[in-house]
Amino acid sequence: MNLSAYLLILVAYLFGSISSAIIFCRLAGLPDPRENGSHNPGATNVLRIGGRISALGVLLFDILKGAVPVLIAFQLGLVPSEIGFIALAACLGHIFPIFFQFRGGKGVATAFGALLPISSLVAGAGLCSWLIVFLLCGYSSLSAVVTGLVMPFYVWWFRPEFTFPVALVCCLLVYRHHDNIQRLWRGQEERIWDKLKLGK
């Protein structure tokens, strides 16, 4: 691994550590997402606590956090293993942000952003999987877990050279949803549209 790859891994982590959910909530006068709703600083929780426009901004920024470092890596001509670890670093930054006491989000949007430059086809397949599960059940967390489980197979089929790093990212995403999995098992997880109806 060359020096530029190491530097870009560091940059990807630091860029990923910018918690857009916390920043957007502060700008919009919304409560801290780490202390309200699901206590997760991500777009879904910002939506839960009433910030629809802010949630969209968070979603777009989190996608960029994954996409930009990977795009730069491709422009520098880095090899797939290096690009994969740069994508992983961006997700780690989002999940364990150094600027916010290492209390970050689940990393789904950032992982999706990192996948876009690797393969828009794979990213599209992942998005379709997420949407199908979400429309069937209404659980954002279950949609993310199912998508995380099937994504390595999509990557293996279309871009096999990226299978290992993407599988690492997906394992991390599923692990970050362990609390949601327990609530789903107990029947205590909240559907997104139920919360939105209550907020009207």
Side-chain angles (χ1 to χ4, degrees), residues 22 35 96 148 159 177:
I22 297 172
E35 308 298 336
F96 305 109
R159 295 298 298 270
H177 283 83

Side-chain angles (χ1 to χ4, degrees), residues 76-100:
L76 293 176
L78 301 184
V79 300
S81 60
E82 295 170 335
I83 294 172
F85 281 110
I86 289 163
L88 180 61
C91 294
L92 285 171
H94 178 81
I95 295 169
F96 305 109
I98 193 172
F99 305 128
F100 295 91

Side-chain angles (χ1 to χ4, degrees), residues 116-127:
L116 279 171
I118 292 173
S119 172
S120 58
L121 188 59
V122 171
L127 179 60

Side-chain angles (χ1 to χ4, degrees), residues 49-129:
I49 61 180
R52 299 188 182 189
I53 300 300
S54 296
L56 179 60
V58 171
L59 178 64
L60 295 176
F61 189 85
D62 286 351
I63 290 172
L64 284 175
K65 289 195 301 186
V68 171
V70 174
L71 278 170
I72 294 173
F74 273 107
Q75 291 298 316
L76 293 176
L78 301 184
V79 300
S81 60
E82 295 170 335
I83 294 172
F85 281 110
I86 289 163
L88 180 61
C91 294
L92 285 171
H94 178 81
I95 295 169
F96 305 109
I98 193 172
F99 305 128
F100 295 91
Q101 297 81 47
F102 301 99
R103 294 176 61 190
K106 301 295 175 64
V108 176
T110 303
F112 175 75
L115 274 172
L116 279 171
I118 292 173
S119 172
S120 58
L121 188 59
V122 171
L127 179 60
C128 287
S129 298

